[in-house]
Amino acid sequence: MNSTPPIKVLLADDERLVRSGFRVLLDLEDDITVVGEATTGAEAVELARATRPDVVLMDIRMPRLDGIRATAQIAAAAGMEQVRVLILTTYDTDENVFDALQAGASGFLLKDAGPAELLHAIRVVAAGDALLAPRVTRRLIGQFTAQRRAAKSAQERLAVLTDREREVLALVGQGMSNDEIGAALFLSPATARTHVSRAMVKLGARDRAQLVVIAYQTGLSDPTQ
């Protein structure tokens, strides 16, 4: 018998049919439990505080408080450091997805994703990883990063990293897993994970998703490749 607690999921979408569809699917899974449903961004923040879910499935466009601002509030709230937000969007070129990643989301998923893809996304994000679909994310971030440069120059921002950490950051930006980074740099997966973790701490990144954004912003990764 599996003694691991189920993944707690909060559904945040103003469309009842969408929430109902997600709940029907998630209720069939032994390792996932729905702890609440929110119809506005403000309600999502309140329920996240009350239920401490592992994952919030967050729609971008909601009344009272949109999903981006709700994500930012959850990411910044004391005591909710372990709550991960998985953004739901209708369009894979939505500029708001980039804003959501910067606000603290751990990834995003298109609403037309199949059941298996949705379940995989929830489990990946709950495990602490980022869900970044290369076919969407590289193009998306590439489109908007040029207009969203950080105040500091790339060299100043990356000065805190060792040469190895820069190499690892570049590969994270290409969507590589720890296993793939290790193979590319002749490191063990554990060593690769350590370098990723150190880069996150030094750069103040909340998770792997924000490392990808930084890799593009600083030019370490080319979103067109």
PDB file of all heavy atoms in Angstrom, residues 167-205:
ATOM      1  N   GLU A 167      27.198  27.112 -17.468  1.00  0.00           N
ATOM      2  CA  GLU A 167      26.967  26.049 -18.446  1.00  0.00           C
ATOM      3  C   GLU A 167      25.668  25.311 -18.139  1.00  0.00           C
ATOM      4  O   GLU A 167      24.868  25.019 -19.035  1.00  0.00           O
ATOM      5  CB  GLU A 167      28.130  25.053 -18.427  1.00  0.00           C
ATOM      6  CG  GLU A 167      29.436  25.594 -18.969  1.00  0.00           C
ATOM      7  CD  GLU A 167      30.569  24.591 -18.857  1.00  0.00           C
ATOM      8  OE1 GLU A 167      30.580  23.795 -17.889  1.00  0.00           O
ATOM      9  OE2 GLU A 167      31.425  24.571 -19.740  1.00  0.00           O
ATOM     10  N   VAL A 168      25.464  25.020 -16.872  1.00  0.00           N
ATOM     11  CA  VAL A 168      24.258  24.306 -16.457  1.00  0.00           C
ATOM     12  C   VAL A 168      23.019  25.165 -16.718  1.00  0.00           C
ATOM     13  O   VAL A 168      22.002  24.679 -17.222  1.00  0.00           O
ATOM     14  CB  VAL A 168      24.345  23.922 -14.964  1.00  0.00           C
ATOM     15  CG1 VAL A 168      22.992  23.445 -14.447  1.00  0.00           C
ATOM     16  CG2 VAL A 168      25.403  22.831 -14.769  1.00  0.00           C
ATOM     17  N   LEU A 169      23.097  26.461 -16.407  1.00  0.00           N
ATOM     18  CA  LEU A 169      21.969  27.358 -16.630  1.00  0.00           C
ATOM     19  C   LEU A 169      21.597  27.403 -18.112  1.00  0.00           C
ATOM     20  O   LEU A 169      20.406  27.406 -18.466  1.00  0.00           O
ATOM     21  CB  LEU A 169      22.305  28.759 -16.126  1.00  0.00           C
ATOM     22  CG  LEU A 169      21.246  29.852 -16.358  1.00  0.00           C
ATOM     23  CD1 LEU A 169      19.932  29.480 -15.690  1.00  0.00           C
ATOM     24  CD2 LEU A 169      21.744  31.200 -15.842  1.00  0.00           C
ATOM     25  N   ALA A 170      22.590  27.437 -18.969  1.00  0.00           N
ATOM     26  CA  ALA A 170      22.323  27.460 -20.409  1.00  0.00           C
ATOM     27  C   ALA A 170      21.559  26.212 -20.840  1.00  0.00           C
ATOM     28  O   ALA A 170      20.637  26.284 -21.663  1.00  0.00           O
ATOM     29  CB  ALA A 170      23.637  27.577 -21.182  1.00  0.00           C
ATOM     30  N   LEU A 171      21.916  25.067 -20.279  1.00  0.00           N
ATOM     31  CA  LEU A 171      21.248  23.818 -20.644  1.00  0.00           C
ATOM     32  C   LEU A 171      19.854  23.731 -20.047  1.00  0.00           C
ATOM     33  O   LEU A 171      18.942  23.175 -20.656  1.00  0.00           O
ATOM     34  CB  LEU A 171      22.102  22.623 -20.209  1.00  0.00           C
ATOM     35  CG  LEU A 171      23.479  22.535 -20.893  1.00  0.00           C
ATOM     36  CD1 LEU A 171      24.243  21.311 -20.412  1.00  0.00           C
ATOM     37  CD2 LEU A 171      23.318  22.503 -22.407  1.00  0.00           C
ATOM     38  N   VAL A 172      19.684  24.295 -18.853  1.00  0.00           N
ATOM     39  CA  VAL A 172      18.327  24.380 -18.280  1.00  0.00           C
ATOM     40  C   VAL A 172      17.439  25.185 -19.218  1.00  0.00           C
ATOM     41  O   VAL A 172      16.282  24.842 -19.465  1.00  0.00           O
ATOM     42  CB  VAL A 172      18.360  25.036 -16.881  1.00  0.00           C
ATOM     43  CG1 VAL A 172      16.938  25.370 -16.410  1.00  0.00           C
ATOM     44  CG2 VAL A 172      19.016  24.107 -15.873  1.00  0.00           C
ATOM     45  N   GLY A 173      17.995  26.263 -19.759  1.00  0.00           N
ATOM     46  CA  GLY A 173      17.246  27.102 -20.683  1.00  0.00           C
ATOM     47  C   GLY A 173      16.842  26.381 -21.950  1.00  0.00           C
ATOM     48  O   GLY A 173      15.867  26.758 -22.606  1.00  0.00           O
ATOM     49  N   GLN A 174      17.577  25.333 -22.294  1.00  0.00           N
ATOM     50  CA  GLN A 174      17.241  24.531 -23.472  1.00  0.00           C
ATOM     51  C   GLN A 174      16.212  23.451 -23.157  1.00  0.00           C
ATOM     52  O   GLN A 174      15.832  22.662 -24.012  1.00  0.00           O
ATOM     53  CB  GLN A 174      18.503  23.885 -24.044  1.00  0.00           C
ATOM     54  CG  GLN A 174      19.496  24.881 -24.615  1.00  0.00           C
ATOM     55  CD  GLN A 174      20.789  24.235 -25.078  1.00  0.00           C
ATOM     56  OE1 GLN A 174      20.807  23.040 -25.403  1.00  0.00           O
ATOM     57  NE2 GLN A 174      21.862  24.998 -25.110  1.00  0.00           N
ATOM     58  N   GLY A 175      15.756  23.426 -21.898  1.00  0.00           N
ATOM     59  CA  GLY A 175      14.734  22.462 -21.510  1.00  0.00           C
ATOM     60  C   GLY A 175      15.265  21.111 -21.090  1.00  0.00           C
ATOM     61  O   GLY A 175      14.503  20.146 -20.988  1.00  0.00           O
ATOM     62  N   MET A 176      16.568  21.017 -20.823  1.00  0.00           N
ATOM     63  CA  MET A 176      17.148  19.730 -20.447  1.00  0.00           C
ATOM     64  C   MET A 176      16.835  19.370 -18.999  1.00  0.00           C
ATOM     65  O   MET A 176      16.784  20.228 -18.125  1.00  0.00           O
ATOM     66  CB  MET A 176      18.668  19.752 -20.629  1.00  0.00           C
ATOM     67  CG  MET A 176      19.146  19.743 -22.056  1.00  0.00           C
ATOM     68  SD  MET A 176      20.944  19.424 -22.128  1.00  0.00           S
ATOM     69  CE  MET A 176      21.209  19.499 -23.903  1.00  0.00           C
ATOM     70  N   SER A 177      16.660  18.069 -18.758  1.00  0.00           N
ATOM     71  CA  SER A 177      16.483  17.558 -17.406  1.00  0.00           C
ATOM     72  C   SER A 177      17.848  17.415 -16.741  1.00  0.00           C
ATOM     73  O   SER A 177      18.890  17.560 -17.400  1.00  0.00           O
ATOM     74  CB  SER A 177      15.798  16.193 -17.451  1.00  0.00           C
ATOM     75  OG  SER A 177      16.655  15.235 -18.063  1.00  0.00           O
ATOM     76  N   ASN A 178      17.859  17.099 -15.460  1.00  0.00           N
ATOM     77  CA  ASN A 178      19.136  16.901 -14.769  1.00  0.00           C
ATOM     78  C   ASN A 178      19.920  15.751 -15.379  1.00  0.00           C
ATOM     79  O   ASN A 178      21.149  15.810 -15.488  1.00  0.00           O
ATOM     80  CB  ASN A 178      18.903  16.655 -13.273  1.00  0.00           C
ATOM     81  CG  ASN A 178      18.388  17.890 -12.569  1.00  0.00           C
ATOM     82  OD1 ASN A 178      18.661  19.004 -12.979  1.00  0.00           O
ATOM     83  ND2 ASN A 178      17.644  17.704 -11.501  1.00  0.00           N
ATOM     84  N   ASP A 179      19.232  14.685 -15.760  1.00  0.00           N
ATOM     85  CA  ASP A 179      19.901  13.543 -16.384  1.00  0.00           C
ATOM     86  C   ASP A 179      20.565  13.969 -17.702  1.00  0.00           C
ATOM     87  O   ASP A 179      21.704  13.583 -17.992  1.00  0.00           O
ATOM     88  CB  ASP A 179      18.906  12.418 -16.652  1.00  0.00           C
ATOM     89  CG  ASP A 179      18.475  11.698 -15.378  1.00  0.00           C
ATOM     90  OD1 ASP A 179      19.100  11.941 -14.322  1.00  0.00           O
ATOM     91  OD2 ASP A 179      17.533  10.895 -15.437  1.00  0.00           O
ATOM     92  N   GLU A 180      19.835  14.759 -18.488  1.00  0.00           N
ATOM     93  CA  GLU A 180      20.375  15.195 -19.782  1.00  0.00           C
ATOM     94  C   GLU A 180      21.533  16.162 -19.596  1.00  0.00           C
ATOM     95  O   GLU A 180      22.526  16.109 -20.340  1.00  0.00           O
ATOM     96  CB  GLU A 180      19.259  15.846 -20.598  1.00  0.00           C
ATOM     97  CG  GLU A 180      18.188  14.862 -21.049  1.00  0.00           C
ATOM     98  CD  GLU A 180      16.962  15.546 -21.625  1.00  0.00           C
ATOM     99  OE1 GLU A 180      16.687  16.713 -21.234  1.00  0.00           O
ATOM    100  OE2 GLU A 180      16.274  14.929 -22.451  1.00  0.00           O
ATOM    101  N   ILE A 181      21.437  17.040 -18.611  1.00  0.00           N
ATOM    102  CA  ILE A 181      22.540  17.964 -18.326  1.00  0.00           C
ATOM    103  C   ILE A 181      23.774  17.191 -17.892  1.00  0.00           C
ATOM    104  O   ILE A 181      24.891  17.470 -18.334  1.00  0.00           O
ATOM    105  CB  ILE A 181      22.127  18.970 -17.230  1.00  0.00           C
ATOM    106  CG1 ILE A 181      21.050  19.916 -17.759  1.00  0.00           C
ATOM    107  CG2 ILE A 181      23.333  19.775 -16.741  1.00  0.00           C
ATOM    108  CD1 ILE A 181      20.434  20.818 -16.702  1.00  0.00           C
ATOM    109  N   GLY A 182      23.561  16.210 -17.021  1.00  0.00           N
ATOM    110  CA  GLY A 182      24.680  15.395 -16.561  1.00  0.00           C
ATOM    111  C   GLY A 182      25.379  14.697 -17.719  1.00  0.00           C
ATOM    112  O   GLY A 182      26.614  14.684 -17.794  1.00  0.00           O
ATOM    113  N   ALA A 183      24.587  14.143 -18.632  1.00  0.00           N
ATOM    114  CA  ALA A 183      25.176  13.440 -19.775  1.00  0.00           C
ATOM    115  C   ALA A 183      25.937  14.401 -20.680  1.00  0.00           C
ATOM    116  O   ALA A 183      27.021  14.077 -21.182  1.00  0.00           O
ATOM    117  CB  ALA A 183      24.076  12.730 -20.565  1.00  0.00           C
ATOM    118  N   ALA A 184      25.395  15.597 -20.875  1.00  0.00           N
ATOM    119  CA  ALA A 184      26.035  16.577 -21.755  1.00  0.00           C
ATOM    120  C   ALA A 184      27.346  17.099 -21.182  1.00  0.00           C
ATOM    121  O   ALA A 184      28.294  17.385 -21.924  1.00  0.00           O
ATOM    122  CB  ALA A 184      25.080  17.745 -22.015  1.00  0.00           C
ATOM    123  N   LEU A 185      27.418  17.203 -19.842  1.00  0.00           N
ATOM    124  CA  LEU A 185      28.604  17.777 -19.199  1.00  0.00           C
ATOM    125  C   LEU A 185      29.453  16.730 -18.482  1.00  0.00           C
ATOM    126  O   LEU A 185      30.379  17.082 -17.748  1.00  0.00           O
ATOM    127  CB  LEU A 185      28.174  18.867 -18.200  1.00  0.00           C
ATOM    128  CG  LEU A 185      27.423  20.063 -18.790  1.00  0.00           C
ATOM    129  CD1 LEU A 185      27.029  21.041 -17.691  1.00  0.00           C
ATOM    130  CD2 LEU A 185      28.270  20.762 -19.843  1.00  0.00           C
ATOM    131  N   PHE A 186      29.109  15.457 -18.682  1.00  0.00           N
ATOM    132  CA  PHE A 186      29.845  14.348 -18.057  1.00  0.00           C
ATOM    133  C   PHE A 186      29.817  14.459 -16.534  1.00  0.00           C
ATOM    134  O   PHE A 186      30.833  14.310 -15.852  1.00  0.00           O
ATOM    135  CB  PHE A 186      31.292  14.292 -18.570  1.00  0.00           C
ATOM    136  CG  PHE A 186      31.389  14.160 -20.061  1.00  0.00           C
ATOM    137  CD1 PHE A 186      31.668  15.265 -20.846  1.00  0.00           C
ATOM    138  CD2 PHE A 186      31.160  12.939 -20.688  1.00  0.00           C
ATOM    139  CE1 PHE A 186      31.730  15.165 -22.235  1.00  0.00           C
ATOM    140  CE2 PHE A 186      31.220  12.825 -22.081  1.00  0.00           C
ATOM    141  CZ  PHE A 186      31.508  13.934 -22.854  1.00  0.00           C
ATOM    142  N   LEU A 187      28.622  14.725 -16.015  1.00  0.00           N
ATOM    143  CA  LEU A 187      28.402  14.820 -14.571  1.00  0.00           C
ATOM    144  C   LEU A 187      27.339  13.802 -14.177  1.00  0.00           C
ATOM    145  O   LEU A 187      26.552  13.353 -15.008  1.00  0.00           O
ATOM    146  CB  LEU A 187      27.889  16.220 -14.190  1.00  0.00           C
ATOM    147  CG  LEU A 187      28.729  17.429 -14.599  1.00  0.00           C
ATOM    148  CD1 LEU A 187      27.944  18.707 -14.328  1.00  0.00           C
ATOM    149  CD2 LEU A 187      30.043  17.436 -13.832  1.00  0.00           C
ATOM    150  N   SER A 188      27.304  13.459 -12.911  1.00  0.00           N
ATOM    151  CA  SER A 188      26.216  12.614 -12.431  1.00  0.00           C
ATOM    152  C   SER A 188      24.951  13.465 -12.337  1.00  0.00           C
ATOM    153  O   SER A 188      25.030  14.697 -12.177  1.00  0.00           O
ATOM    154  CB  SER A 188      26.550  12.040 -11.055  1.00  0.00           C
ATOM    155  OG  SER A 188      26.528  13.065 -10.069  1.00  0.00           O
ATOM    156  N   PRO A 189      23.765  12.853 -12.426  1.00  0.00           N
ATOM    157  CA  PRO A 189      22.523  13.624 -12.281  1.00  0.00           C
ATOM    158  C   PRO A 189      22.467  14.369 -10.948  1.00  0.00           C
ATOM    159  O   PRO A 189      21.946  15.490 -10.885  1.00  0.00           O
ATOM    160  CB  PRO A 189      21.432  12.551 -12.382  1.00  0.00           C
ATOM    161  CG  PRO A 189      22.046  11.471 -13.210  1.00  0.00           C
ATOM    162  CD  PRO A 189      23.492  11.449 -12.806  1.00  0.00           C
ATOM    163  N   ALA A 190      22.994  13.754  -9.899  1.00  0.00           N
ATOM    164  CA  ALA A 190      22.984  14.402  -8.582  1.00  0.00           C
ATOM    165  C   ALA A 190      23.840  15.665  -8.589  1.00  0.00           C
ATOM    166  O   ALA A 190      23.467  16.692  -8.011  1.00  0.00           O
ATOM    167  CB  ALA A 190      23.483  13.435  -7.514  1.00  0.00           C
ATOM    168  N   THR A 191      25.003  15.602  -9.241  1.00  0.00           N
ATOM    169  CA  THR A 191      25.864  16.779  -9.328  1.00  0.00           C
ATOM    170  C   THR A 191      25.209  17.866 -10.164  1.00  0.00           C
ATOM    171  O   THR A 191      25.267  19.057  -9.827  1.00  0.00           O
ATOM    172  CB  THR A 191      27.224  16.406  -9.940  1.00  0.00           C
ATOM    173  OG1 THR A 191      27.859  15.420  -9.114  1.00  0.00           O
ATOM    174  CG2 THR A 191      28.122  17.626 -10.045  1.00  0.00           C
ATOM    175  N   ALA A 192      24.554  17.453 -11.252  1.00  0.00           N
ATOM    176  CA  ALA A 192      23.837  18.417 -12.083  1.00  0.00           C
ATOM    177  C   ALA A 192      22.745  19.106 -11.276  1.00  0.00           C
ATOM    178  O   ALA A 192      22.573  20.327 -11.346  1.00  0.00           O
ATOM    179  CB  ALA A 192      23.240  17.723 -13.303  1.00  0.00           C
ATOM    180  N   ARG A 193      22.012  18.325 -10.481  1.00  0.00           N
ATOM    181  CA  ARG A 193      20.950  18.893  -9.653  1.00  0.00           C
ATOM    182  C   ARG A 193      21.520  19.891  -8.650  1.00  0.00           C
ATOM    183  O   ARG A 193      20.923  20.938  -8.381  1.00  0.00           O
ATOM    184  CB  ARG A 193      20.202  17.778  -8.919  1.00  0.00           C
ATOM    185  CG  ARG A 193      19.093  18.300  -7.993  1.00  0.00           C
ATOM    186  CD  ARG A 193      18.407  17.140  -7.268  1.00  0.00           C
ATOM    187  NE  ARG A 193      17.632  16.338  -8.172  1.00  0.00           N
ATOM    188  CZ  ARG A 193      16.382  16.628  -8.548  1.00  0.00           C
ATOM    189  NH1 ARG A 193      15.790  17.728  -8.082  1.00  0.00           N
ATOM    190  NH2 ARG A 193      15.714  15.839  -9.364  1.00  0.00           N
ATOM    191  N   THR A 194      22.692  19.577  -8.088  1.00  0.00           N
ATOM    192  CA  THR A 194      23.328  20.485  -7.138  1.00  0.00           C
ATOM    193  C   THR A 194      23.665  21.816  -7.796  1.00  0.00           C
ATOM    194  O   THR A 194      23.426  22.889  -7.226  1.00  0.00           O
ATOM    195  CB  THR A 194      24.610  19.854  -6.572  1.00  0.00           C
ATOM    196  OG1 THR A 194      24.258  18.671  -5.834  1.00  0.00           O
ATOM    197  CG2 THR A 194      25.330  20.814  -5.643  1.00  0.00           C
ATOM    198  N   HIS A 195      24.213  21.757  -9.009  1.00  0.00           N
ATOM    199  CA  HIS A 195      24.546  22.996  -9.723  1.00  0.00           C
ATOM    200  C   HIS A 195      23.285  23.805 -10.027  1.00  0.00           C
ATOM    201  O   HIS A 195      23.284  25.044  -9.917  1.00  0.00           O
ATOM    202  CB  HIS A 195      25.285  22.682 -11.026  1.00  0.00           C
ATOM    203  CG  HIS A 195      26.711  22.251 -10.826  1.00  0.00           C
ATOM    204  ND1 HIS A 195      27.615  23.007 -10.115  1.00  0.00           N
ATOM    205  CD2 HIS A 195      27.387  21.152 -11.251  1.00  0.00           C
ATOM    206  CE1 HIS A 195      28.801  22.398 -10.114  1.00  0.00           C
ATOM    207  NE2 HIS A 195      28.673  21.258 -10.787  1.00  0.00           N
ATOM    208  N   VAL A 196      22.211  23.114 -10.406  1.00  0.00           N
ATOM    209  CA  VAL A 196      20.942  23.800 -10.688  1.00  0.00           C
ATOM    210  C   VAL A 196      20.435  24.490  -9.419  1.00  0.00           C
ATOM    211  O   VAL A 196      20.026  25.658  -9.445  1.00  0.00           O
ATOM    212  CB  VAL A 196      19.881  22.810 -11.209  1.00  0.00           C
ATOM    213  CG1 VAL A 196      18.505  23.494 -11.275  1.00  0.00           C
ATOM    214  CG2 VAL A 196      20.271  22.290 -12.591  1.00  0.00           C
ATOM    215  N   SER A 197      20.484  23.782  -8.305  1.00  0.00           N
ATOM    216  CA  SER A 197      20.010  24.338  -7.039  1.00  0.00           C
ATOM    217  C   SER A 197      20.832  25.551  -6.628  1.00  0.00           C
ATOM    218  O   SER A 197      20.281  26.567  -6.155  1.00  0.00           O
ATOM    219  CB  SER A 197      20.072  23.276  -5.939  1.00  0.00           C
ATOM    220  OG  SER A 197      19.219  22.192  -6.241  1.00  0.00           O
ATOM    221  N   ARG A 198      22.144  25.470  -6.785  1.00  0.00           N
ATOM    222  CA  ARG A 198      23.003  26.606  -6.430  1.00  0.00           C
ATOM    223  C   ARG A 198      22.718  27.814  -7.318  1.00  0.00           C
ATOM    224  O   ARG A 198      22.717  28.960  -6.839  1.00  0.00           O
ATOM    225  CB  ARG A 198      24.470  26.198  -6.527  1.00  0.00           C
ATOM    226  CG  ARG A 198      24.909  25.251  -5.410  1.00  0.00           C
ATOM    227  CD  ARG A 198      26.331  24.776  -5.615  1.00  0.00           C
ATOM    228  NE  ARG A 198      26.762  23.911  -4.516  1.00  0.00           N
ATOM    229  CZ  ARG A 198      27.868  23.180  -4.526  1.00  0.00           C
ATOM    230  NH1 ARG A 198      28.669  23.221  -5.598  1.00  0.00           N
ATOM    231  NH2 ARG A 198      28.178  22.419  -3.500  1.00  0.00           N
ATOM    232  N   ALA A 199      22.485  27.572  -8.597  1.00  0.00           N
ATOM    233  CA  ALA A 199      22.172  28.674  -9.508  1.00  0.00           C
ATOM    234  C   ALA A 199      20.854  29.338  -9.110  1.00  0.00           C
ATOM    235  O   ALA A 199      20.722  30.566  -9.147  1.00  0.00           O
ATOM    236  CB  ALA A 199      22.099  28.167 -10.946  1.00  0.00           C
ATOM    237  N   MET A 200      19.883  28.526  -8.708  1.00  0.00           N
ATOM    238  CA  MET A 200      18.594  29.070  -8.274  1.00  0.00           C
ATOM    239  C   MET A 200      18.772  29.983  -7.066  1.00  0.00           C
ATOM    240  O   MET A 200      18.213  31.087  -7.013  1.00  0.00           O
ATOM    241  CB  MET A 200      17.625  27.935  -7.943  1.00  0.00           C
ATOM    242  CG  MET A 200      17.077  27.206  -9.154  1.00  0.00           C
ATOM    243  SD  MET A 200      16.071  25.756  -8.708  1.00  0.00           S
ATOM    244  CE  MET A 200      14.814  26.522  -7.695  1.00  0.00           C
ATOM    245  N   VAL A 201      19.556  29.529  -6.102  1.00  0.00           N
ATOM    246  CA  VAL A 201      19.775  30.322  -4.888  1.00  0.00           C
ATOM    247  C   VAL A 201      20.492  31.624  -5.219  1.00  0.00           C
ATOM    248  O   VAL A 201      20.091  32.713  -4.780  1.00  0.00           O
ATOM    249  CB  VAL A 201      20.584  29.513  -3.856  1.00  0.00           C
ATOM    250  CG1 VAL A 201      21.004  30.400  -2.688  1.00  0.00           C
ATOM    251  CG2 VAL A 201      19.757  28.335  -3.342  1.00  0.00           C
ATOM    252  N   LYS A 202      21.551  31.542  -6.001  1.00  0.00           N
ATOM    253  CA  LYS A 202      22.353  32.725  -6.313  1.00  0.00           C
ATOM    254  C   LYS A 202      21.582  33.761  -7.128  1.00  0.00           C
ATOM    255  O   LYS A 202      21.799  34.969  -6.980  1.00  0.00           O
ATOM    256  CB  LYS A 202      23.625  32.320  -7.060  1.00  0.00           C
ATOM    257  CG  LYS A 202      24.638  31.559  -6.203  1.00  0.00           C
ATOM    258  CD  LYS A 202      25.874  31.203  -7.010  1.00  0.00           C
ATOM    259  CE  LYS A 202      26.921  30.488  -6.162  1.00  0.00           C
ATOM    260  NZ  LYS A 202      28.136  30.161  -6.947  1.00  0.00           N
ATOM    261  N   LEU A 203      20.694  33.283  -7.998  1.00  0.00           N
ATOM    262  CA  LEU A 203      19.965  34.190  -8.869  1.00  0.00           C
ATOM    263  C   LEU A 203      18.600  34.581  -8.307  1.00  0.00           C
ATOM    264  O   LEU A 203      17.875  35.369  -8.917  1.00  0.00           O
ATOM    265  CB  LEU A 203      19.782  33.545 -10.253  1.00  0.00           C
ATOM    266  CG  LEU A 203      21.078  33.320 -11.038  1.00  0.00           C
ATOM    267  CD1 LEU A 203      20.797  32.498 -12.285  1.00  0.00           C
ATOM    268  CD2 LEU A 203      21.725  34.658 -11.419  1.00  0.00           C
ATOM    269  N   GLY A 204      18.269  34.011  -7.141  1.00  0.00           N
ATOM    270  CA  GLY A 204      16.981  34.339  -6.529  1.00  0.00           C
ATOM    271  C   GLY A 204      15.805  33.793  -7.304  1.00  0.00           C
ATOM    272  O   GLY A 204      14.723  34.364  -7.283  1.00  0.00           O
ATOM    273  N   ALA A 205      16.008  32.676  -7.990  1.00  0.00           N
ATOM    274  CA  ALA A 205      14.933  32.060  -8.777  1.00  0.00           C
ATOM    275  C   ALA A 205      14.099  31.149  -7.879  1.00  0.00           C
ATOM    276  O   ALA A 205      14.647  30.350  -7.115  1.00  0.00           O
ATOM    277  CB  ALA A 205      15.508  31.257  -9.940  1.00  0.00           C
TER     278      ALA A 205
END
